[in-house]
């Protein structure tokens, strides 16, 4: 689709010599639309004569056009309530002066137009098409492409100088804006051509001659526009050859930049802590052991001095300087006068952001940052989603050497923006991978201010001058359709559309140039078939929708790179011809794993050789489909394979080629549930699991419903038999679930990085012994990194032996913090070697007679339905314990502890509370359940001077509270709640009950849900 001819051509007549004559003053001049507008507007610039006879309305229209676009849209935002609203930084600081400073400073910066990298990408596409000749170049098509290549190359030479001068030269900026529109048209035409090439490859047919003629005509129109723009190039613009992809550190350790990310932008330090600014600056500027030379140290200290009492500025500039290796650039930042404003009540914060932005390592990175203004404030930006947006918009060009794919470049850019504090509040997953971050409100405002000519945020109002906007962020808080005409040229050229509440239906086909489409909270149950017309689409994200199926027409979107479906629980299948989307790189459907074994996989998935993300793979009775995985060599991240019972043996399993895939770090192997399988299917499981040997980089392994009697040999293979080092030394997490034919837990004690171990439903295991801890090699420390251990539903487990009795190990479980044992009914004892234990949960272990002694770090103790007779020794002296819950431990005789919260359940043999509780002076919350044998609460309850809430439930015979004097000592008691204690409820009746005087002063009294008036 080519943009319509500029309307200002109506005011001139074309001459035979290629020049133009004004219809009003009859002046003759060369050039294009930009020069015509300046002529009609009466703007003196670059040897353009002023029209003296232009009608007033035409002059005003031309003046508005060459002025700053979207003047009505302050901060790229319009609303019904406040169209003229300036960007607010109220969320940054409560200080009105700071907010005012921001409003004043942001007006000094105009939105930047950066096209150098974009044009470089267009030239690369053109060269590829011309050289590789994917389609027939008859009918003058090839000549048009070569002309386009020549013209674009000529204009590219002056782009760098034009971009540098746009802030100070209105004409240059207007010329850049005109060129940007044409550049996007070029991208659309080349992308359409690329789509046709892909279509030929998928469907194996030749492009019709009519289509070639049509595209040739589009190229011709574009070349005419470029010729006019070339004629408008100011004569004083210099040709420059620029390296648009300078070398930056792709291997930096991002953790060096994350530890001090909590510093607020407007937070200041007192004068006596000024030296801290240098320390903060140095920590970032010279991170990752970067050499601190005397010259850079001196310059850095001067920059840190200018940060004055603003530690955020020191951190921000330190992060920027880390990526600058030229001493002259360091000096230019040291001498930048805007840094002097930091001492003036944060006057320079906005200037500092602009300074850092100007020195980001690559132009592409600048585009990536400003694009993020499209996300709402305080939005948790998922790393993979942000990178996929960038990819779709063409910001991530693979390196010429070919050793970095777009995702790798995006990951580096994301980390740089974190390192420079443009992004902050990074969160990580269990494996240390950064998964999300946020932008500070002020940084978000800054991003909007420099991208307002391209980004538009709407909340339901109509908009003028939409043709200057490329991405669009539509966010509606209600269910109304926006009152906007989406047929206007500006909207049909949109490249990004993000909408909440409005699905657009068949109107989607109006947005023919979309690269990114994200629809959230839409009520529609289906996507329109017309979505197939969005041939440029690369990113499709549907969330919180009621769609039942994805239309087959989506399989015609041959450019699609990412398909994300979130919270669409009615969706149960994928389109049959999904394998036609040969450019697809990421498939993410969050609920499919919950549906598990019911999903049918499309055929020929092996054709999707570009796939990086495929979290699930479902086999059916044609188990040989697992070989399709063997063609997906670029898979990374997580992968769960379901219905492995359909794989017919080791060799077929090996065809998945998992051992060669180094970037899959989390694997799940799932057989059919036991009730869905015949017993004669079990014999094959061991061979299949043996053939599924993963790569040694694996970090997480789950095996579920495996019916073999022993685990595969690769789980025990060692690098060094002398010390027992496994080839899977990177494993962090292991889950073994319902492998109920195995009689032994595999040897895992030697794994150096294992942090999480979950064993569930291994009903054939009777003893946890030496085979669990060691393979016989001498190791000083067993389970050296394990932090969380969970054993559940092991019905036959009787004994868990202590490793120190079986091995020569000096330490066992030295880092174990959480231990959970559930439904191991025959288990009689637990090991006594958990020195770091903080949380112990034991449930439904009826034969368990004792617990290990409590150590000083224990914070959480839960004991339910166990046969223990005593609580662990050392409990009374455990000052760290904060939570205790005991339920249905009928053999338990007594308890003593000191902590902040106690919940006690069902002690029918006790007719009073244990006397030791009177020593719980730190207790704040006391909950008592089902003490049917107790008639009165002891007077020593008044010793619990910290008690804030007393909760009495189902104590059917309880009648008496402590004496009035004892209750009076509970000065901090704010809430008394009584539920289903009929005798006490009667005695606590408001103003008339025998116990009322004891509780009348308590502010909050709740009896069976009724709130009484206390606090007298």
């Amino acid at each position: 689709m080519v943009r319509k001819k500029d309307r200002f051509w109506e005011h001139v007549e074309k001459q035979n010599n290629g020049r133009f004559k004004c219809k009003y003053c009859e002046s003759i001049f060369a050039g294009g639309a930009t020069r015509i507008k300046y002529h009609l507007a009466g703007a003196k610039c670059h040897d353009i004569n002023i029209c003296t006879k232009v009608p007033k309305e035409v002059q005003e229209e031309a003046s508005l056009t060459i002025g700053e676009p979207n003047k009505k849209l302050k901060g790229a935002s319009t609303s019904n309530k406040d169209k003229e609203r300036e960007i607010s930084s109220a969320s940054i600081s409560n200080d009105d002066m700071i907010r005012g400073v921001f409003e004043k400073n942001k007006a000094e910066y105009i939105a930047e137009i950066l096209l150098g990298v974009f044009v470089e990408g267009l030239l690369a596409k053109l060269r590829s098409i011309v050289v590789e000749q994917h389609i027939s170049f008859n009918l003058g098509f090839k000549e048009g492409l070569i002309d386009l290549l020549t013209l674009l190359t000529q204009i590219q030479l002056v782009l760098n100088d034009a971009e540098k001068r746009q802030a100070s030269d209105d004409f240059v900026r207007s010329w850049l804006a005109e060129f940007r529109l044409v550049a996007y048209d070029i991208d659309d035409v080349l992308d359409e051509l690329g789509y046709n090439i892909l279509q030929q490859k998928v469907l194996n047919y030749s492009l019709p001659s009519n289509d070639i003629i049509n595209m040739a005509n589009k190229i011709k129109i574009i070349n005419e526009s470029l010729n006019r723009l070339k004629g408008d190039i100011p004569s004083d613009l210099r040709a420059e050859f620029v390296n648009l992809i300078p070398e930056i550190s792709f291997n930096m350790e991002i953790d060096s930049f994350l530890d001090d990310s909590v510093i607020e932008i407007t937070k200041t330090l007192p004068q006596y802590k000024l030296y801290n600014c240098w320390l903060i600056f140095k920590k970032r500027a010279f991170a990752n052991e970067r050499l601190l030379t005397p010259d850079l140290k001196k310059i850095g200290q001067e920059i840190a001095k200018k940060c004055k009492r603003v530690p955020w500025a020191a951190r921000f500039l330190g992060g920027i300087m880390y990526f600058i290796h030229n001493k002259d650039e360091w000096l230019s930042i040291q001498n930048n006068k805007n840094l002097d404003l930091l001492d003036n009540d944060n006057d320079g914060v906005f200037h500092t952001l602009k300074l850092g932005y100007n020195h980001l390592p690559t132009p592409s990175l600048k585009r990536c940052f400003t694009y993020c203004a499209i996300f709402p404030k305080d939005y948790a930006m998922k790393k993979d989603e942000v990178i996929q947006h960038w990819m779709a918009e063409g910001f991530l060009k693979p390196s010429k050497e070919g050793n970095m794919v777009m995702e790798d470049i995006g990951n580096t850019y994301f980390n740089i923006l974190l390192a420079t504090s443009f992004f902050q509040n990074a969160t990580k997953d269990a494996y240390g991978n950064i998964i999300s971050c946020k932008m500070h409100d002020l940084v978000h405002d800054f991003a909007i201010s420099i991208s307002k000519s391209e980004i538009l945020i709407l909340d339901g109002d109509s908009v003028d001058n939409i043709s200057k906007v490329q991405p669009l962020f539509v966010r509606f808080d209600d269910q109304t359709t926006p009152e906007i005409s989406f047929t206007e040229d500006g909207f049909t050229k949109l490249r990004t559309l993000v909408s909440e509440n409005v699905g657009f239906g068949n109107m989607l086909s109006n947005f023919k140039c979309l690269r990114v489409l994200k629809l959230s909270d839409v009520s529609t149950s289906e996507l329109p078939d017309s979505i197939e017309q969005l041939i440029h689409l690369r990113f499709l994200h549907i969330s919180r929708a009621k769609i039942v199926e994805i239309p087959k027409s989506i399989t015609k979107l041959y450019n699609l790179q990412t398909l994300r479906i979130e919270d669409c629980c009615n969706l149960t299948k994928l389109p049959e011809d999904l394998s036609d989307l040969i450019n697809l790189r990421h498939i993410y459907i969050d609920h499919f794993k919950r549906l598990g074994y019911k999903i049918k996989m499309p055929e020929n998935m092996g054709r999707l050789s570009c796939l990086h993300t495929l979290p699930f793979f479902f086999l059916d009775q044609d188990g040989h489909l697992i070989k399709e995985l063997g063609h997906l060599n670029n898979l990374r991240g997580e992968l769960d394979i379901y219905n492995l019972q359909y794989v017919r043996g080791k060799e077929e399993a090996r065809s998945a080629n998992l051992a060669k895939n180094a970037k899959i770090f989390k694997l799940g192997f799932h057989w059919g549930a036991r009730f869905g399988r015949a017993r004669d299917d079990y014999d094959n499981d061991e061979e299949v699991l043996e053939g599924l040997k993963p790569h040694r980089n694996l970090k997480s392994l789950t095996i579920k419903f495996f019916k073999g009697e022993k685990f595969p040999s690769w789980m025990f293979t060692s690098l060094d038999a002398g010390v027992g080092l496994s080839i899977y030394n990177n494993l962090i997490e292991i889950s073994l679930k319902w492998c109920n034919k195995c009689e032994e837990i595999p040897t895992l004690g030697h794994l150096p990085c294992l942090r999480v171990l979950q064993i569930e439903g291994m009903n054939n295991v009777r003893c946890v012994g030496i085979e669990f801890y060691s393979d016989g090699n001498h190791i000083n420390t067993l389970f050296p990194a394990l932090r969380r251990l969970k054993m559940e539903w092991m019905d036959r487990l009787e004994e868990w032996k202590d490793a120190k009795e079986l091995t020569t190990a000096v330490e066992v479980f030295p880092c174990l913090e959480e231990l959970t044992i559930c439904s191991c009914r025959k288990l009689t004892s637990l090991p006594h070697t958990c020195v770091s234990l903080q949380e112990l949960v034991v449930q439904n272990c009826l034969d368990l007679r004792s617990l290990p002694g409590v150590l000083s770090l224990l914070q959480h103790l839960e004991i339910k339905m166990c046969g223990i007779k005593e609580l662990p020794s050392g409990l009374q002296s455990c000052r760290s314990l904060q939570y205790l819950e005991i339920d249905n431990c009928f053999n338990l005789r007594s308890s003593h502890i000191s902590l902040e919260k106690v919940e006690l359940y069902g002690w029918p043999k006790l007719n009073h509370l244990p006397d030791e509780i009177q020593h719980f002076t730190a207790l704040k919350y006391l909950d008592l359940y089902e003490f049917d044998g107790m008639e009165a609460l002891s007077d020593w309850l008044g010793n619990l001077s910290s008690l804030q809430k007393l909760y009495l439930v189902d104590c059917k015979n309880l009648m008496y509270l402590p004496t009035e004097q004892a209750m009076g000592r509970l000065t901090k008691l704010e809430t008394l709640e009584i539920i289903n204690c009929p005798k006490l409820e009667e005695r606590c009746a408001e103003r008339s009950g025998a116990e009322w005087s004891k509780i009348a002063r308590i502010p909050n009294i709740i009896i069976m849900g009724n709130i009484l008036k206390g606090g007298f």
Side-chain angles (χ1 to χ4, degrees), residues 712-772:
S713 61
W714 49 260
M715 290 188 72
F716 310 99
T717 306
S718 298
L719 285 172
D720 188 335
V723 294
L725 294 176
S726 167
I727 64 171
Y728 294 103
N729 283 344
N730 293 310
L731 272 172
I732 293 174
E733 179 180 32
I734 296 177
S735 294
L736 306 175
K737 299 184 177 183
W738 300 103
C739 305
N740 53 18
K741 294 297 179 182
C742 295
E743 295 182 353
E744 293 182 350
I745 302 173
T747 303
L748 303 172
H750 58 290
L751 296 175
C753 297
L754 187 63
R755 298 180 198 163
V756 179
L757 176 59
Q758 183 173 353
I759 302 170
E760 179 181 331
M762 292 186 66
N763 293 329
N764 243 15
V765 176
R766 297 177 182 274
C767 175
V768 176
I770 189 170
E771 74 288 338
F772 176 55

Side-chain angles (χ1 to χ4, degrees), residues 267-492:
K267 182 179 179 181
T268 60
L269 291 174
Q271 190 71 27
Y272 66 84
K273 289 188 177 180
L274 286 179
Y275 182 66
N276 283 11
C277 283
W278 162 242
L279 296 180
I280 293 170
F281 178 91
K282 183 176 73 169
K283 185 174 182 179
R284 291 205 158 209
F286 300 95
N288 296 325
E289 300 181 353
R290 179 182 180 181
L291 180 63
L292 178 59
T293 64
D295 285 350
L296 294 186
K297 178 179 179 180
K298 182 178 180 181
I299 298 171
Q301 287 176 333
E302 291 301 315
I303 293 174
K305 282 183 183 178
K306 293 191 174 186
C307 294
K308 304 297 191 300
R309 296 175 296 113
V310 186
W312 167 83
R315 187 191 65 173
F316 176 76
L317 291 172
I320 295 293
M321 305 309 286
Y322 176 81
F323 298 98
I324 299 176
H325 301 281
N326 186 295
K327 178 183 173 181
D328 291 338
E329 284 194 65
W330 276 61
L331 285 169
S332 71
I333 290 179
Q334 174 193 335
N335 297 324
N336 192 290
K337 294 182 179 180
N338 285 326
L339 290 184
D340 297 332
L341 299 174
L342 280 171
D343 195 34
N344 185 20
D345 294 317
N346 296 296
D347 190 21
V349 169
F350 196 79
H351 291 290
T352 304
L353 286 169
K354 185 64 166 63
L355 180 63
Y357 170 81
N358 289 342
H359 286 84
L360 284 174
T362 73
S364 293
L365 184 55
K366 292 181 179 180
R367 296 218 71 189
C368 289
F369 165 68
T370 55
Y371 180 86
C372 290
I374 204 168
F375 298 109
K377 283 185 177 180
D378 202 41
Y379 179 72
M381 299 183 294
K382 296 177 182 177
K383 183 177 185 177
D384 58 346
E385 181 185 351
V386 170
I387 292 173
Q388 289 156 13
H389 273 255
W390 293 343
M391 281 171 39
E393 285 292 350
F395 300 155
L396 308 177
K397 300 300 180 184
S399 58
K400 293 179 180 179
E401 296 78 13
N403 58 347
M404 291 192 72
V405 296
M406 291 185 287
E407 288 82 358
D408 295 331
I409 298 171
N411 183 66
T412 297
Y413 284 179
F414 194 96
N415 286 344
I416 291 174
L417 292 172
L418 267 176
T420 52
S421 300
F422 282 108
F423 290 170
Q424 65 178 34
N425 301 126
T427 59
K428 293 183 176 182
D429 62 15
Y431 315 105
N433 304 308
I434 294 172
I435 55 175
S436 70
C437 71
K438 293 184 177 183
M439 272 202 289
H440 195 288
D441 284 356
L442 180 55
V443 177
H444 188 276
D445 287 339
F446 170 73
I448 285 182
S449 72
I450 58 175
S451 62
K452 58 191 174 186
S453 65
E454 291 189 328
I455 289 181
L456 181 65
I457 301 174
L458 303 171
D459 58 5
D461 201 6
S462 58
V463 185
D464 298 329
N465 201 15
I466 192 64
S467 62
K468 293 296 195 300
V469 178
Q470 288 300 331
L472 171 64
F473 186 52
V474 182
R475 185 167 69 246
F476 294 97
D477 295 328
D478 53 28
Q479 301 295 324
T480 59
T481 303
E483 297 177 2
I484 301 172
S485 173
F486 290 104
T487 58
E488 305 233 356
D489 189 41
F491 278 110
T492 58

Side-chain angles (χ1 to χ4, degrees), residues 41-58:
K44 292 184 178 181
C45 186
H46 295 278
D47 67 359
I48 297 176
N49 294 325
I50 295 174
C51 183
T52 57
K53 299 181 179 180
V54 60
K56 184 177 180 181
E57 62 274 12
V58 175

Side-chain angles (χ1 to χ4, degrees), residues 902-948:
V902 169
E903 292 183 12
L904 298 179
Y905 288 78
W907 287 6
K909 297 180 181 180
L910 288 178
N911 58 15
H912 60 85
L913 292 178
D915 290 339
E916 290 84 355
I917 293 180
Q918 65 184 296
H919 303 296
F920 299 2
T921 55
L923 194 66
K924 295 180 180 178
Y925 309 97
L926 177 58
D927 298 355
L928 304 177
Y929 298 81
E930 301 174 359
F931 278 76
D932 290 346
M934 186 167 60
E935 295 183 356
L937 292 176
S938 303
D939 286 350
W940 52 251
L941 200 69
N943 297 337
L944 306 182
S945 55
S946 299
L947 194 65
Q948 297 177 9

Side-chain angles (χ1 to χ4, degrees), residues 58 104 162 195 280 301 415 485 500 502 540 605 731 809 1016:
V58 175
K104 177 185 70 176
Y195 175 86
I280 293 170
Q301 287 176 333
N415 286 344
S485 173
E500 292 190 14
V502 180
L540 176 60
M605 289 294 289
L731 272 172
F1016 297 106

Side-chain angles (χ1 to χ4, degrees), residues 746-804:
T747 303
L748 303 172
H750 58 290
L751 296 175
C753 297
L754 187 63
R755 298 180 198 163
V756 179
L757 176 59
Q758 183 173 353
I759 302 170
E760 179 181 331
M762 292 186 66
N763 293 329
N764 243 15
V765 176
R766 297 177 182 274
C767 175
V768 176
I770 189 170
E771 74 288 338
F772 176 55
Y773 296 108
S774 171
D775 58 2
N777 292 293
H778 176 71
I779 302 176
N780 285 330
T781 305
L782 297 173
F783 292 100
L786 194 66
R787 284 166 171 75
R788 187 161 72 247
L789 174 57
K790 193 172 188 178
M791 290 189 181
E792 297 182 290
W793 299 102
M794 300 176 69
D795 291 343
R796 297 183 184 178
L797 181 62
E798 298 175 359
E799 185 178 13
W800 185 352
K801 293 181 178 180
D802 198 310
K804 289 189 176 181

Side-chain angles (χ1 to χ4, degrees), residues 147-162:
D147 287 345
L148 175 58
L149 182 63
T150 302
L151 286 166
L152 205 54
T153 302
Q154 292 170 341
I155 291 177
Q156 185 199 30
L157 292 175
V158 298
L159 268 184
N160 189 59
D161 191 32

